[in-house]
Amino acid sequence: MQSVLVSGGAGFIGYHLCKLLLEKIFEVYCVDNFLTGSQENIASLSKNSHFHFIEKDVTEREVCNVFEAISFSAVFHLASPASPNKKSPRSYIAYPIETLLVNSIGTQNMLEIAKKHKSKFLFTSSSEVYGDPAITPQKEDYFGNVNPNGVRSVYDEAKRFGEAITMAYVRKFNMDCRIVRIFNTYGPNMQKDDGRVVSNFINQALENKDITIYGDGMQTRSFCYVDDMVLGLTKALFIDKSKGEVINLGNPDKRTIAELATIIKDLTMSQSKIIYESLPEDDPKERKPDIKKAQSLLGWQPNMALNDGLRKTIVYFRQIRQT
Ligand code: NAD
Ligand code: UDP
């Protein structure tokens, strides 16, 4: 059985990735320090005897020694706070230094582990490297429009550094690495308080509290269901021709935030009022992935329609309210 290492498996996407890898009969090792992830995700994965958890901060150099004896065929580096919402205790605004370090030093440590074992390596970058994009849809060869020192820079610039060091290891050591730029992903097991728009709107709607649109709600995002995303991540890693490539993964079905609020209110049959609050600094006005490269290189495209994925996510949030 092949062994794989996943950093960030206590988090939202990492949890689903570990679950899929276990289904595909891998021996899965996960490293996480619970900065923004949850014990419940690890408890659920630990029911499978092929899952192994190590609680550790991947920015500590010692993490490389922990795994010395295990020969990994693949390393997925997902560890990083990911929510931009300053009202959330789990956001990268709450953890600015940690976010910079996990995507820089943390990425180098994970690359060193992969180098030692000659493993394949995947870095999860973000659509945030495009900043507030001046072109749409965003294609991998677009360099972006990023504020290098604004509030979001701790994440945007950290992801850009993570991309740069990943490519440096490809060029200098001929390593088998790829970079995936993930666009807004949602689904069950998002943290209730992580502050991202889908979890916020669903929880507000289920509690009949005001649904908070930031700005005028005309900004757009494209939402990808998590099962589609983790399938894309495994394809991106295991297909050989992806070595050294940068690949967008996301759902090109672009919606305004106002439209998302109305859909969620309708699906939950909520009595909530929709209200408007101020728009956070440097909030991108537009986001839509160009996924032609993922389609041609990986034979991947998302399948879950937004309303169907939201229904599944609503079921999850209803369930956790009752437990
Ligand atoms: P998440 O916050 O739910 O999960 C991140 C996990 O990383 C958490 O379990 C956290 O505890 C762990 N972590 C953070 N710092 C760590 C450290 N120093 N050492 C060990 N573990 C650490 O976030 P997510 O939504 O699952 O995102 C996963 C990855 O995908 C991140 O790299 C994120 O930047 C990227 N991404 C996500 C989205 C999205 O829409 N969810 C979009 C773009 C990119
Ligand atoms: N947003 C909102 N209300 C909320 C949370 C977010 O209107 O309660 C908006 C946010 O300002 C942004 C979009 O929804 O324009 C997506 O935000 P999210 O935090 O999910 O991630 P982003 O795509 O900005 O990284």
Side-chain angles (χ1 to χ4, degrees):
M1 202 180 259
Q2 291 181 47
S3 296
V4 295
L5 176 62
V6 177
S7 73
F12 162 53
I13 300 179
Y15 163 77
H16 288 276
L17 177 64
C18 289
K19 221 166 120 228
L20 180 64
L21 290 166
L22 289 167
E23 281 162 23
K24 290 186 182 285
I25 323 289
F26 284 99
E27 202 72 30
V28 178
Y29 289 80
C30 165
V31 55
D32 202 297
N33 65 351
F34 294 116
L35 187 69
T36 56
S38 80
Q39 304 269 358
E40 288 79 10
N41 284 344
I42 295 302
S44 160
L45 292 165
S46 297
K47 289 179 191 148
N48 189 315
S49 61
H50 297 291
F51 180 77
H52 313 273
F53 179 63
I54 297 92
E55 184 173 345
K56 190 113 205 106
D57 181 337
V58 300
T59 66
E60 291 169 18
R61 194 60 170 189
E62 198 201 316
V63 74
C64 300
N65 305 334
V66 173
F67 297 108
E68 221 159 23
I70 308 156
S71 180
F72 296 112
S73 57
V75 174
F76 291 87
H77 180 36
L78 280 78
S80 169
S83 165
N85 196 329
K86 66 176 181 199
K87 295 181 185 167
S88 165
R90 295 178 196 266
S91 73
Y92 58 71
I93 309 290
Y95 293 116
I97 314 295
E98 291 84 346
T99 303
L100 282 158
L101 295 184
V102 73
N103 286 292
S104 51
I105 296 173
T107 304
Q108 189 186 20
N109 287 340
M110 298 302 286
L111 280 161
E112 283 295 324
I113 294 171
K115 181 162 151 263
K116 182 170 173 37
H117 299 293
K118 299 191 171 39
S119 330
K120 288 167 161 288
F121 180 86
L122 184 149
F123 174 62
T124 51
S125 184
S126 166
S127 52
E128 279 287 319
V129 299
Y130 300 121
D132 188 8
I135 61 153
T136 195
Q138 293 84 53
K139 205 163 166 249
E140 289 87 349
D141 59 6
Y142 175 50
F143 292 168
N145 176 32
V146 174
N147 177 345
N149 49 39
V151 285
R152 293 174 88 109
S153 64
V154 296
Y155 185 73
D156 302 9
E157 294 296 354
K159 289 293 181 191
R160 289 166 79 100
F161 181 95
E163 291 200 8
I165 195 167
T166 301
M167 289 311 294
Y169 272 69
V170 172
R171 294 187 185 110
K172 190 165 169 72
F173 304 114
N174 194 25
M175 273 178 60
D176 188 355
C177 307
R178 67 278 298 129
I179 293 162
V180 168
R181 292 183 181 149
I182 298 179
F183 283 65
N184 296 66
T185 301
Y186 72 98
N189 295 74
M190 294 183 87
Q191 297 296 324
K192 187 176 174 187
D193 62 352
D194 105 347
R196 282 179 275 189
V197 68
V198 173
S199 45
N200 265 13
F201 284 1
I202 291 179
N203 285 299
Q204 289 164 343
L206 291 178
E207 290 163 22
N208 290 312
K209 291 188 177 152
D210 292 345
I211 295 177
T212 54
I213 291 182
Y214 302 159
D216 62 6
M218 289 301 110
Q219 70 271 37
T220 61
R221 295 292 186 274
S222 309
F223 297 100
C224 183
Y225 190 67
V226 69
D227 287 357
D228 284 329
M229 179 54 61
V230 295
L231 183 63
L233 290 176
T234 58
K235 285 190 177 235
L237 187 127
F238 290 110
I239 288 177
D240 283 334
K241 54 193 177 181
S242 65
K243 178 180 171 185
E245 296 289 342
V246 180
I247 307 163
N248 285 340
L249 290 183
N251 193 324
D253 177 14
K254 183 176 85 172
R255 308 293 180 116
T256 65
I257 294 304
E259 192 183 351
L260 180 75
T262 307
I263 296 172
I264 290 176
K265 184 167 148 61
D266 290 349
L267 290 176
T268 50
M269 293 189 288
S270 171
Q271 303 301 310
S272 294
K273 261 194 342 215
I274 294 179
I275 64 159
Y276 294 84
E277 296 187 350
S278 57
L279 189 68
E281 200 179 317
D282 291 335
D283 196 288
K285 287 181 274 307
E286 162 84 27
R287 214 183 259 155
K288 172 180 164 130
D290 180 317
I291 59 162
K292 285 192 201 79
K293 190 166 177 183
Q295 286 169 319
S296 61
L297 199 68
L298 313 177
W300 175 90
Q301 61 179 35
N303 289 316
M304 184 69 76
L306 180 63
N307 283 34
D308 295 339
L310 287 174
R311 276 193 201 93
K312 287 173 182 286
T313 312
I314 290 165
V315 168
Y316 169 78
F317 280 113
R318 267 196 219 285
Q319 268 167 9
I320 62 165
R321 284 187 74 218
Q322 283 154 12
T323 53

